């Protein structure tokens, strides 16, 4: 099976499951509450973004220095 068909099938399955979940008001409310509970606070988001920026910067420096 070609990878394109596999990805298309997974996207279609995800869309169908999303439609089924969003039609049920109780499940939809539960999913919304779950997303709100899993969200990071403002300060935590800033720390995570700073760590990602430092990691990406370090990786770029590593690639720059290792190519010489």
């Amino acid at each position: 099976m070609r990878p394109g068909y596999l990805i298309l099938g997974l996207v279609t399955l995800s869309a169908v499951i999303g439609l089924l979940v969003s039609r049920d008001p109780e499940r939809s409310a539960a999913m919304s509450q779950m997303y709100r509970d899993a969200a990071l606070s403002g300060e935590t988001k800033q720390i995570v973004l700073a760590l990602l920026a430092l990691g990406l910067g370090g990786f770029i420096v590593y690639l720059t220095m290792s190519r010489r």
Side-chain angles (χ1 to χ4, degrees), residues 40 63 66:
L40 298 175
L63 287 178
S66 65

Side-chain angles (χ1 to χ4, degrees), residues 4-18:
Y5 291 127
L6 182 63
I7 292 172
L8 182 61
L10 290 173
V11 168
T12 304
L13 180 66
S14 173
V16 169
I17 290 173

Side-chain angles (χ1 to χ4, degrees), residues 3-57:
Y5 291 127
L6 182 63
I7 292 172
L8 182 61
L10 290 173
V11 168
T12 304
L13 180 66
S14 173
V16 169
I17 290 173
L19 286 172
L20 290 175
V21 168
S22 66
R23 289 171 81 193
D24 185 11
E26 291 178 12
R27 274 197 192 161
S28 181
M31 291 291 285
S32 295
Q33 183 64 36
M34 182 190 70
Y35 289 142
R36 282 192 296 272
D37 291 344
L40 298 175
S41 68
E43 184 178 331
T44 307
K45 283 182 187 178
Q46 288 180 348
I47 292 171
V48 168
L49 284 175
L51 289 174
L52 284 172
L54 285 173
L56 183 62

